[in-house]
């Protein structure tokens, strides 16, 4: 049995404690992209509900097959849709693989996605496009370390026409049809609802995308082990908000039933970011502690004992991912 990446969005939005602006997951329009699972029979599920007190009408559509359907989200209930793997973003040349969920008028929805197959399932919280007074949106990739032959993946969807992306990978890779060396920048223009996939066998953590308009930015793996040498591998996926909406202070708790440790990854949004970690064990004694400095896109993997409850704080914006480690670590299913 495999274990999935959980908690990145919970950590970002619930634990920021008001120190930085937090992006709401409630919105009027959502742009979802599904990444490739390593198994070939996976399905892509979309779940829709509303935080409002009254029913909300919405549409769900995809340009890939001219799919279009109308629905109604009832308070306290969930409407689900299941798509086959052909709706996922499978190649770097595909441009029309977004699934769009839009509420009627100015009403609000909450949307989730799930990539499902036996023993290799993960889900993500969909985020509506963030909009700032500034016309620059910065996204930095955060993901687990890749495993062997399986690929790291970045999927993007443009929310407006003539969206210019300036992409600076952390490793040599192909962007669209352009081979791009690590640290250099390739520009690509997308129209509304167009998609772009970056697919690479190496770790894409730290790859930077600067956009002049809001985009949906999703990262993950076909299948990876956490840690890399511990079985079993699993599909992982999360939608990552722009750096402007990352946090500075996070509270963490160990995943229930685990007996060894949880793996955390800290990624910095700016140069010279100082990160402090202070933990308290469940018996009240001092636990794990650390301090380190990261540059923009730099990251650090940390294994924190399952007895420890922690504050993780950056003096500049960071994102924090929490992973459930593979079954071999402690034998817990």
């Amino acid at each position: 049995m495999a274990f999935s990446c959980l908690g990145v969005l919970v950590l970002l939005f619930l634990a920021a404690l008001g120190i930085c602006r937090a992006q709401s997951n409630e919105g009027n329009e959502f742009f979802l992209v599904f990444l490739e699972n390593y198994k070939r029979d996976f399905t892509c599920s979309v779940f829709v509900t509303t935080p409002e007190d009254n029913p909300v009408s919405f549409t769900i559509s995809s340009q890939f097959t001219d799919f279009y359907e109308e629905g109604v989200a009832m308070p306290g209930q969930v409407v689900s849709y299941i798509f086959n793997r052909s709706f996922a973003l499978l190649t770097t040349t595909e441009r029309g693989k977004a699934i769009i969920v839009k509420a009627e008028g100015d009403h609000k929805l909450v949307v989730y996605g799930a990539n499902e197959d036996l023993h290799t399932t993960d889900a993500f919280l969909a985020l509506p496009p963030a909009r700032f007074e500034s016309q620059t949106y910065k996204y930095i990739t955060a993901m687990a370390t890749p495993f062997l032959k399986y690929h790291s993946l970045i999927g993007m969807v443009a929310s407006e026409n003539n969206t210019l992306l300036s992409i600076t990978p952390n490793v040599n890779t192909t962007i669209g049809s352009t081979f791009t060396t690590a640290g250099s920048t390739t520009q690509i223009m997308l129209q509304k609802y167009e998609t772009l996939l970056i697919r690479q066998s190496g770790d894409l953590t730290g790859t930077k995308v600067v956009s002049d308009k809001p985009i949906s930015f999703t990262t993950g793996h076909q299948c990876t082990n956490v840690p890399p040498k511990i079985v079993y591998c699993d599909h992982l996926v999360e939608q990552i908000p722009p750096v402007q909406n990352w946090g500075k202070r996070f509270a963490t708790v160990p995943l229930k039933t685990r007996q060894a440790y949880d793996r955390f990854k800290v990624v910095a949004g700016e140069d010279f970011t100082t990160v402090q970690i202070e933990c308290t064990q469940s018996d009240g004694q001092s636990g794990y502690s650390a301090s380190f400095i990261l540059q923009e896109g730099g990251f650090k993997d940390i294994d924190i004992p399952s007895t420890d409850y922690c504050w993780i704080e950056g003096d500049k914006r960071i994102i924090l991912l929490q992973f459930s480690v593979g079954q071999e670590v402690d034998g817990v299913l």
Side-chain angles (χ1 to χ4, degrees), residues 31-33 61-64 95-100 157 193 195:
F31 304 80
L32 285 75
V33 64
S61 61
S62 174
Q63 293 181 330
F64 169 59
R95 290 290 182 269
K97 289 295 192 74
I99 295 176
I100 313 302
V157 186
Y193 303 151
T195 53

Side-chain angles (χ1 to χ4, degrees), residues 8-9 127 139-140 142 217-219 238-242 246 319 321:
V8 55
L9 295 177
L127 303 175
Y139 300 82
I140 294 178
F217 190 78
T218 302
T219 71
E238 286 292 355
Q239 189 172 337
I240 304 295
W246 289 10
I319 194 168
L321 287 76

Side-chain angles (χ1 to χ4, degrees), residues 72-143:
V72 177
M74 305 294 293
Q77 299 181 26
V78 176
V79 184
S80 61
Y81 299 85
I82 300 177
F83 301 90
N84 62 43
R85 73 182 298 273
S86 67
F87 282 81
L89 189 52
L90 302 176
T91 73
T92 57
T93 58
E94 294 174 315
R95 290 290 182 269
K97 289 295 192 74
I99 295 176
I100 313 302
V101 181
K102 183 169 176 38
E104 182 182 62
D106 295 327
H107 293 289
K108 301 294 185 184
L109 299 170
V110 173
V111 179
Y112 296 81
N115 188 311
E116 301 179 73
D117 206 337
L118 182 65
H119 300 317
T120 176
T121 294
D122 202 10
F124 62 95
L125 177 66
L127 303 175
R131 300 186 185 278
F132 312 126
E133 293 181 2
S134 165
Q135 291 302 305
T136 299
Y137 299 81
K138 182 170 74 170
Y139 300 82
I140 294 178
T141 304
M143 60 174 58

